[in-house]
Amino acid sequence: MTTPSPTTAATAPGAAFWTELEQALGAQGFARSGADSIPDKYWTDWSGTAPVQPLALVRPRSTDEVSALLRICHAYRVPVVPQGGLTGLAGAAVPVPGCVAVSMERMNVIEDVNARTGLMTVQAGVTLQAVQEAAVVAGRVFGVDLGARGSCQIGGNVSTNAGGNGVLQNGMMREQVLGLEVVLADGTVLPMLRPMLKNNTGYDLKQFFIGAEGTLGVITRVLLRLRPAPQAKATCLVAMPGFDEALAVLARMQSRFGNSVAAFELMWNDFVQTSMQWQKLQPAFAEQHPILALIDVDGKDEASLQDAVEAALGEAMEAGEVVDAVIAQSGEQAKSLWKLREAPAEMTQHMHPPVNFDVSLPQVDIGRFAAACRAAFDARWPGHHSLFFGHVGDGNLHVTTDGKTIGGEDEALEAVLYGLVQQFQGSVSAEHGIGLHKKPYLPFSRTAQELAAMRAIKSALDPLGLMNPGKVFDGAVGDSAVP
Ligand SMILES: Cc1cc2nc3c(=O)[nH]c(=O)nc-3n(C[C@H](O)[C@H](O)[C@H](O)COP(=O)(O)OP(=O)(O)OC[C@H]3O[C@@H](n4cnc5c(N)ncnc54)[C@H](O)[C@@H]3O)c2cc1C
């Protein structure tokens, strides 16, 4: 390799860069803006961030190709933006000017599934749904589930430390990862695929890359833990008069069923009505109620589990916590109850644009926080259309507002909501990450000392600031003091 003079994102790399890329990846191994067409689906993600055409698009097939690519980009100081399924809601996978976008979609092989040990090794571009289906074939389940399952990739799920509907029982993505293979900014491959739960041999390096949003390296392979499949499952939709009663129901179910309470999803009435309208669903109850919960409980035997859930809900009704409830009588009915929670997949179609929030709060405060938000939005944007819902079992509230009902004042809306998050001492992101959208608000949830430690890690692993620059932190490519 020749030694090129340093360039930055603002300086397009010269002919030698393209020659080396071609030698490493073949003439068909990359698409170049201008010379080739780079489909616009790689220019932005689900967050609705303004599209940016990358300098080049590479869709590697192997770790060796990723390593060669990153080595060349490092030598020529060309920034790199890893891309998974592009379903991220924080703008983290959107190209930066002058970057090579690395789509992992062709690294989509499930390499190994071991039903006995409950371990699965996959390339990073395998979709979440493919992992879930392979786990079921092996008589197991995968612990993370979310609405974008058909498109999002395991590498993206790891990089965002995705949450979703199973966190209450199984934890976030971090808890499903036993090992990673990562390519660092200079092309070094870091193999960390050890099939052991316990390994106290110094720093647990893989943890740095989980939730790093592609700012520290490209994840190429993942060793996943699978969970035992429950023998029986009960799903119910429960109507409650308010948030405090909802928390009482959660506590009641957990004291009765322990960790077998697999999901506890809350939906405020505005979400429920909108979801039914968008998806043309029949109402489950004759009347509207302030809050509904979707609850999944695992057990050993269908009949006795149904009886136990019915008894617990009966007691909750007597205590005034529950107003009405439906228990699914079949897998099909359970699916149709869960359909109510699937409205987020429709948001980009019906909202112009959806302005998404994904905050974490002390669980006990979520009801008061939601009321405070609504009051603040009502005061400034009368007639706004905002939906409140979330994985409240894990303290995670989602709020989505239709941008056209606030006159496009997205930034003012963010300032109002994140100001309240700071007041309630919550986190500006529970699971979607910081990306571009939440950068200004990161200091609301992290101290200066924490941010300095994060920057030190970034600087150690990516001293030239080439990996996904400007995401999570601000910073310029080639700035060795790093962003
Ligand atoms: C309808 C809908 C419902 C959703 N529900 C949830 C939910 O319940 N819970 C939740 O947590 N999220 C949810 N999301 C958000 C999104 O699906 C997750 O953040 C998901 O984990 C992103 O995966 P992805 O493959 O699409 O990643 P992308 O959007 O492509 O990328 C996300 C980040 O990961 C980085 N990245 C991707 N692949 C790699 C790799 N191989 N190596 C290094 N970095 C990489 C990118 O650079 C970027 O920073 C939802 C999204 C939609 C559209």
Side-chain angles (χ1 to χ4, degrees):
M1 184 190 286
T2 52
T3 312
S5 55
T7 57
T8 68
T11 321
F17 171 74
W18 299 108
T19 306
E20 289 204 31
L21 265 197
E22 195 170 326
Q23 280 165 359
L25 304 171
Q28 307 302 318
F30 58 94
R32 194 174 161 178
S33 69
D36 313 292
S37 66
I38 299 179
D40 57 9
K41 77 165 191 172
Y42 301 100
W43 298 15
T44 188
D45 64 6
W46 193 283
S47 68
T49 306
V52 175
Q53 182 172 196
L55 176 72
L57 170 72
V58 178
R59 299 185 302 141
R61 289 184 188 277
S62 67
T63 302
D64 284 350
E65 284 191 2
V66 176
S67 170
L69 169 69
L70 265 59
R71 184 171 40 78
I72 296 165
C73 288
H74 191 258
Y76 289 86
R77 310 295 194 258
V78 173
V80 170
V81 176
Q83 294 186 334
L86 294 167
T87 66
L89 296 171
V94 177
V96 298
C99 80
V100 171
V102 186
S103 167
M104 299 302 286
E105 66 195 354
R106 293 211 282 205
M107 288 190 65
N108 60 0
V109 176
I110 295 178
E111 296 179 345
D112 186 50
V113 188
N114 190 321
R116 208 160 40 86
T117 58
L119 299 180
M120 186 188 293
T121 307
V122 299
Q123 291 185 327
V126 172
T127 63
L128 172 60
Q129 188 168 332
V131 165
Q132 291 172 335
E133 288 171 358
V136 169
V137 170
R140 300 265 179 166
V141 290
F142 185 61
V144 161
D145 182 37
L146 50 95
R149 62 185 77 76
S151 308
C152 65
Q153 299 174 4
I154 285 298
N157 298 151
V158 174
S159 301
T160 56
N161 186 25
N165 307 328
V167 177
L168 195 57
Q169 193 174 46
N170 302 313
M172 296 181 69
M173 198 62 200
R174 195 178 293 284
E175 271 74 49
Q176 325 308 321
V177 175
L178 212 55
L180 290 181
E181 178 186 82
V182 176
V183 182
L184 298 178
D186 65 358
T188 303
V189 179
L190 214 52
M192 303 173 285
L193 290 164
R194 297 186 181 87
M196 295 175 292
L197 192 55
K198 292 177 132 181
N199 181 10
N200 270 353
T201 49
Y203 301 151
D204 190 352
L205 292 176
K206 68 176 181 295
Q207 298 296 347
F208 289 130
F209 301 91
I210 304 175
E213 301 183 50
T215 60
L216 300 179
V218 178
I219 295 166
T220 43
R221 293 164 74 212
V222 187
L223 175 60
L224 297 165
R225 298 168 68 185
L226 307 178
R227 308 283 169 176
Q231 287 156 301
K233 194 176 255 311
T235 296
C236 49
L237 185 67
V238 179
M240 289 145 313
F243 181 80
D244 291 341
E245 288 81 1
L247 274 197
V249 172
L250 174 60
R252 181 183 291 280
M253 298 302 273
Q254 284 183 317
S255 86
R256 184 98 166 222
F257 299 101
N259 193 41
S260 295
V261 181
F264 190 87
E265 296 290 309
L266 278 197
M267 298 167 283
W268 274 252
N269 189 40
D270 41 24
F271 177 93
V272 172
Q273 298 309 317
T274 303
S275 179
M276 288 196 307
Q277 191 197 334
W278 286 351
Q279 301 188 87
K280 302 187 175 40
L281 305 177
Q282 291 303 313
F285 303 113
E287 287 171 34
Q288 295 187 21
H289 298 283
I291 292 190
L292 300 188
L294 256 172
I295 310 174
D296 270 354
V297 184
D298 292 346
K300 289 205 167 68
D301 163 77
E302 293 288 346
S304 61
L305 179 62
Q306 289 257 346
D307 289 348
V309 168
E310 202 173 322
L313 292 177
E315 285 166 19
M317 266 188 192
E318 273 171 33
E321 297 158 3
V322 166
V323 185
D324 209 345
V326 180
I327 304 178
Q329 299 301 312
S330 65
E332 273 313 299
Q333 257 187 35
K335 259 194 208 157
S336 79
L337 290 183
W338 268 96
K339 194 85 185 117
L340 194 57
R341 179 61 180 75
E342 300 283 327
E346 309 271 322
M347 281 170 176
T348 48
Q349 209 180 313
H350 296 277
M351 293 177 146
H352 307 286
V355 187
N356 292 303
F357 299 98
D358 148 53
V359 300
S360 217
L361 295 148
Q363 200 182 43
V364 70
D365 291 333
I366 291 180
R368 280 193 309 118
F369 175 87
C373 268
R374 195 182 292 283
F377 291 1
D378 287 348
R380 178 138 178 200
W381 297 281
H384 67 93
H385 185 210
S386 301
L387 310 179
F388 290 74
F389 60 106
H391 317 293
V392 174
D394 1 291
N396 180 182
L397 179 73
H398 293 308
V399 182
T400 304
T401 299
D402 185 346
K404 81 169 177 305
T405 66
I406 53 161
E409 293 187 318
D410 303 16
E411 284 178 15
L413 188 82
E414 285 170 5
V416 168
L417 187 135
Y418 291 133
L420 284 166
V421 170
Q422 193 178 30
Q423 205 177 305
F424 279 75
Q425 299 185 332
S427 163
V428 296
S429 175
E431 53 181 25
H432 296 162
I434 298 299
L436 287 172
H437 290 205
K438 285 170 230 158
K439 265 192 318 187
Y441 300 102
L442 185 55
F444 282 21
S445 302
R446 293 293 207 168
T447 62
Q449 293 84 347
E450 285 176 299
L451 291 171
M454 285 192 217
R455 286 196 166 91
I457 293 167
K458 168 80 175 165
S459 192
L461 292 175
D462 178 21
L464 299 179
L466 295 172
M467 287 304 311
N468 212 1
K471 312 296 172 57
V472 184
F473 305 108
D474 275 324
V477 175
D479 173 4
S480 59
V482 174

PDB file of all heavy atoms in Angstrom, residues 41 46 74 149 217 295 377 454:
ATOM      1  N   LYS A  41     -32.231   4.472  -0.727  1.00  0.00           N
ATOM      2  CA  LYS A  41     -32.580   3.861   0.567  1.00  0.00           C
ATOM      3  C   LYS A  41     -31.380   3.873   1.516  1.00  0.00           C
ATOM      4  O   LYS A  41     -31.545   3.789   2.732  1.00  0.00           O
ATOM      5  CB  LYS A  41     -33.121   2.443   0.384  1.00  0.00           C
ATOM      6  CG  LYS A  41     -32.111   1.367   0.110  1.00  0.00           C
ATOM      7  CD  LYS A  41     -32.741  -0.025   0.311  1.00  0.00           C
ATOM      8  CE  LYS A  41     -31.666  -1.077   0.294  1.00  0.00           C
ATOM      9  NZ  LYS A  41     -32.021  -2.397   0.630  1.00  0.00           N
ATOM     10  N   TRP A  46     -34.968   5.354   9.133  1.00  0.00           N
ATOM     11  CA  TRP A  46     -36.392   5.480   9.452  1.00  0.00           C
ATOM     12  C   TRP A  46     -36.698   6.774  10.206  1.00  0.00           C
ATOM     13  O   TRP A  46     -37.841   7.200  10.310  1.00  0.00           O
ATOM     14  CB  TRP A  46     -36.803   4.234  10.266  1.00  0.00           C
ATOM     15  CG  TRP A  46     -38.272   4.019  10.426  1.00  0.00           C
ATOM     16  CD1 TRP A  46     -39.110   4.680  11.282  1.00  0.00           C
ATOM     17  CD2 TRP A  46     -39.107   3.058   9.750  1.00  0.00           C
ATOM     18  NE1 TRP A  46     -40.388   4.204  11.178  1.00  0.00           N
ATOM     19  CE2 TRP A  46     -40.409   3.207  10.251  1.00  0.00           C
ATOM     20  CE3 TRP A  46     -38.853   2.088   8.778  1.00  0.00           C
ATOM     21  CZ2 TRP A  46     -41.471   2.419   9.813  1.00  0.00           C
ATOM     22  CZ3 TRP A  46     -39.915   1.307   8.353  1.00  0.00           C
ATOM     23  CH2 TRP A  46     -41.202   1.474   8.857  1.00  0.00           C
ATOM     24  N   HIS A  74      -8.976   4.066   6.657  1.00  0.00           N
ATOM     25  CA  HIS A  74      -8.129   4.633   7.707  1.00  0.00           C
ATOM     26  C   HIS A  74      -6.906   5.300   7.086  1.00  0.00           C
ATOM     27  O   HIS A  74      -6.540   6.434   7.431  1.00  0.00           O
ATOM     28  CB  HIS A  74      -7.703   3.505   8.653  1.00  0.00           C
ATOM     29  CG  HIS A  74      -7.058   3.973   9.907  1.00  0.00           C
ATOM     30  ND1 HIS A  74      -5.695   3.930  10.104  1.00  0.00           N
ATOM     31  CD2 HIS A  74      -7.580   4.509  11.045  1.00  0.00           C
ATOM     32  CE1 HIS A  74      -5.412   4.399  11.299  1.00  0.00           C
ATOM     33  NE2 HIS A  74      -6.530   4.764  11.894  1.00  0.00           N
ATOM     34  N   ARG A 149     -38.826  -5.968  13.498  1.00  0.00           N
ATOM     35  CA  ARG A 149     -38.097  -7.253  13.481  1.00  0.00           C
ATOM     36  C   ARG A 149     -37.772  -7.767  12.077  1.00  0.00           C
ATOM     37  O   ARG A 149     -36.747  -8.403  11.864  1.00  0.00           O
ATOM     38  CB  ARG A 149     -38.889  -8.325  14.264  1.00  0.00           C
ATOM     39  CG  ARG A 149     -40.257  -8.646  13.695  1.00  0.00           C
ATOM     40  CD  ARG A 149     -41.022  -9.621  14.595  1.00  0.00           C
ATOM     41  NE  ARG A 149     -41.573  -8.977  15.771  1.00  0.00           N
ATOM     42  CZ  ARG A 149     -42.675  -8.194  15.781  1.00  0.00           C
ATOM     43  NH1 ARG A 149     -43.330  -7.945  14.659  1.00  0.00           N
ATOM     44  NH2 ARG A 149     -43.103  -7.655  16.897  1.00  0.00           N
ATOM     45  N   GLY A 217     -16.442   0.838  15.942  1.00  0.00           N
ATOM     46  CA  GLY A 217     -15.998  -0.230  15.040  1.00  0.00           C
ATOM     47  C   GLY A 217     -17.206  -0.825  14.335  1.00  0.00           C
ATOM     48  O   GLY A 217     -18.351  -0.445  14.607  1.00  0.00           O
ATOM     49  N   ILE A 295     -50.543  -7.696  28.514  1.00  0.00           N
ATOM     50  CA  ILE A 295     -49.702  -8.448  29.448  1.00  0.00           C
ATOM     51  C   ILE A 295     -49.515  -9.865  28.919  1.00  0.00           C
ATOM     52  O   ILE A 295     -50.486 -10.521  28.527  1.00  0.00           O
ATOM     53  CB  ILE A 295     -50.362  -8.507  30.853  1.00  0.00           C
ATOM     54  CG1 ILE A 295     -50.778  -7.101  31.311  1.00  0.00           C
ATOM     55  CG2 ILE A 295     -49.417  -9.140  31.870  1.00  0.00           C
ATOM     56  CD1 ILE A 295     -51.561  -7.072  32.616  1.00  0.00           C
ATOM     57  N   PHE A 377     -47.692  20.488  26.048  1.00  0.00           N
ATOM     58  CA  PHE A 377     -47.976  20.485  24.593  1.00  0.00           C
ATOM     59  C   PHE A 377     -49.301  21.211  24.321  1.00  0.00           C
ATOM     60  O   PHE A 377     -49.395  21.998  23.374  1.00  0.00           O
ATOM     61  CB  PHE A 377     -48.084  19.057  24.046  1.00  0.00           C
ATOM     62  CG  PHE A 377     -46.797  18.253  24.022  1.00  0.00           C
ATOM     63  CD1 PHE A 377     -45.602  18.777  24.484  1.00  0.00           C
ATOM     64  CD2 PHE A 377     -46.796  16.953  23.532  1.00  0.00           C
ATOM     65  CE1 PHE A 377     -44.429  18.033  24.474  1.00  0.00           C
ATOM     66  CE2 PHE A 377     -45.633  16.198  23.500  1.00  0.00           C
ATOM     67  CZ  PHE A 377     -44.451  16.727  23.975  1.00  0.00           C
ATOM     68  N   MET A 454     -16.400   8.728  28.184  1.00  0.00           N
ATOM     69  CA  MET A 454     -16.837   8.210  26.877  1.00  0.00           C
ATOM     70  C   MET A 454     -15.906   8.697  25.771  1.00  0.00           C
ATOM     71  O   MET A 454     -15.517   7.951  24.883  1.00  0.00           O
ATOM     72  CB  MET A 454     -18.262   8.683  26.560  1.00  0.00           C
ATOM     73  CG  MET A 454     -19.344   7.969  27.336  1.00  0.00           C
ATOM     74  SD  MET A 454     -20.925   8.412  26.568  1.00  0.00           S
ATOM     75  CE  MET A 454     -21.963   8.520  27.979  1.00  0.00           C
TER      76      MET A 454
END
